[in-house]
Amino acid sequence: MAASSACSACIFRLAKCILSRLHPHTAASTPTQCRHFADLPPNFYPSWEKVKEEEPRTGVEVSTAEWKYVERLIPPLEPPPLPKHESYPTPSGFMPPTGASPDTPYHVRRTRFHSIPVFREEEYGGTRQLTLITRVDGDIWALAKEVKDHLQETVDHVDMEIPYQVNEYTRKIWFKGIFVHEIRDFIQNKGF
């Protein structure tokens, strides 16, 4: 019981000492000489008392020997070059871009993995299925109209107009329904 009361007294005196250092207008006290004072951490002081500006600062050593280890962790700014294959399309279906005609008012950029950015999305537990086109530059409305007309002509089970939504700010187009393969083929045939 006496040890615990000595510790609580020590902690109380220490708190009073720190408070007097933080707020000089409070009652001043001297550090306690309790035997448990040595068990407290040494960095129990305010941060502005730790560093004194008149003390000399340590020097800085610049080393370039380790740069090769750091450089490999930095992600590249450009995607890697296209892979070279003997024949196209590859067994996975990959085709490199052939180059679109210069009078096309839009451009669809490929992803960093060189795939065409057409994706399938499901909302509301799978009851609403959408096809998403991303990374569209230029006249996004012209691409949406051309894709809609292409789907109306090629997809045989579509007997009504396909609804779509264009977001110019995020450069995305959503089509209601699952038309991933048809839209990818259309974009591939355009040269993107």
Side-chain angles (χ1 to χ4, degrees), residues 121 123 128 130-133 163-167 170 172-176:
E121 285 188 352
E123 295 179 355
R128 182 176 181 202
L130 305 169
T131 304
L132 170 66
I133 306 172
Y164 65 93
Q165 178 183 1
V166 175
N167 189 333
T170 60
K172 296 179 180 179
I173 306 170
W174 286 270
F175 287 92
K176 188 172 183 181

Side-chain angles (χ1 to χ4, degrees), residues 17-55:
C17 176
I18 291 174
L19 185 63
S20 68
R21 288 184 184 196
L22 293 175
H23 302 288
H25 62 275
T26 60
S29 67
T30 58
T32 180
Q33 298 299 325
C34 179
R35 62 187 167 106
H36 301 287
F37 185 72
D39 297 338
L40 295 173
N43 56 355
F44 219 74
Y45 298 101
S47 60
W48 62 82
E49 289 185 8
K50 288 182 183 176
V51 178
K52 295 183 173 57
E53 291 298 326
E54 55 269 1
E55 293 178 0

Side-chain angles (χ1 to χ4, degrees), residues 144-164:
K145 175 104 172 70
E146 287 184 22
V147 169
K148 184 187 79 122
D149 293 343
H150 172 73
L151 292 175
Q152 292 290 115
E153 294 171 3
T154 57
V155 179
D156 54 355
H157 65 276
V158 176
D159 54 350
M160 59 181 199
E161 189 169 321
I162 300 171
Y164 65 93

Side-chain angles (χ1 to χ4, degrees), residues 27-122:
S29 67
T30 58
T32 180
Q33 298 299 325
C34 179
R35 62 187 167 106
H36 301 287
F37 185 72
D39 297 338
L40 295 173
N43 56 355
F44 219 74
Y45 298 101
S47 60
W48 62 82
E49 289 185 8
K50 288 182 183 176
V51 178
K52 295 183 173 57
E53 291 298 326
E54 55 269 1
E55 293 178 0
R57 297 186 182 249
T58 59
V60 176
E61 180 182 341
V62 178
S63 172
T64 58
E66 293 85 13
W67 177 248
K68 60 183 178 183
Y69 301 111
V70 175
E71 191 173 29
R72 68 180 183 184
L73 299 175
I74 299 173
L77 297 176
E78 296 180 0
L82 285 170
K84 304 290 186 214
H85 295 282
E86 296 173 3
S87 64
Y88 294 103
T90 61
S92 65
F94 174 77
M95 284 282 293
T98 57
S101 64
D103 59 340
T104 307
Y106 52 83
H107 182 77
V108 180
R109 292 182 298 120
R110 294 211 176 190
T111 65
R112 64 184 177 140
F113 302 111
H114 305 292
S115 61
I116 298 173
V118 179
F119 309 100
R120 174 183 171 178
E121 285 188 352
E122 290 183 357

